[in-house]
Amino acid sequence: MMEIKVLGTGCAKCKKLEQITENVVKEMGLDASIEKIEDIYKIMQFGVMQTPGLVVNGKVVLTGRLPKSDELRNLLTS
């Protein structure tokens, strides 16, 4: 099972990343759990200084911006 963490303090972009991640996971039929992390200290433990951030299986794959759906698909399958 893939573990996905959406890092963000609750801003609009962070919420949007969580939403599009859920949509892409569902659309692709991936076996994945999605966790939203809003605690700034936990976010900083990943070395992320700009949100939103995306962590896939323990690896930070995106910070500071929203990906397009195609890019997100690639991030989740690579």
Side-chain angles (χ1 to χ4, degrees):
M1 176 188 269
M2 182 184 299
E3 289 185 11
I4 302 169
K5 298 182 189 316
V6 177
L7 311 178
T9 56
C11 68
K13 284 184 180 180
C14 301
K15 291 176 183 176
K16 181 71 174 171
L17 179 58
E18 182 180 22
Q19 179 184 34
I20 62 174
T21 301
E22 288 173 355
N23 290 344
V24 168
V25 164
K26 192 179 297 182
E27 174 185 300
M28 294 177 68
L30 298 174
D31 183 20
S33 67
I34 301 172
E35 178 184 0
K36 179 77 169 21
I37 297 179
E38 294 185 350
D39 183 303
I40 190 70
Y41 297 107
K42 289 182 181 178
I43 292 169
M44 290 170 59
Q45 288 176 342
F46 285 97
V48 171
M49 297 299 160
Q50 289 184 319
T51 58
L54 189 68
V55 177
V56 179
N57 293 330
K59 180 181 173 191
V60 177
V61 296
L62 182 83
T63 63
R65 63 184 179 83
L66 288 173
K68 297 198 181 311
S69 292
D70 288 343
E71 180 184 5
L72 185 55
R73 283 186 198 90
N74 289 334
L75 291 171
L76 296 177
T77 56
S78 57

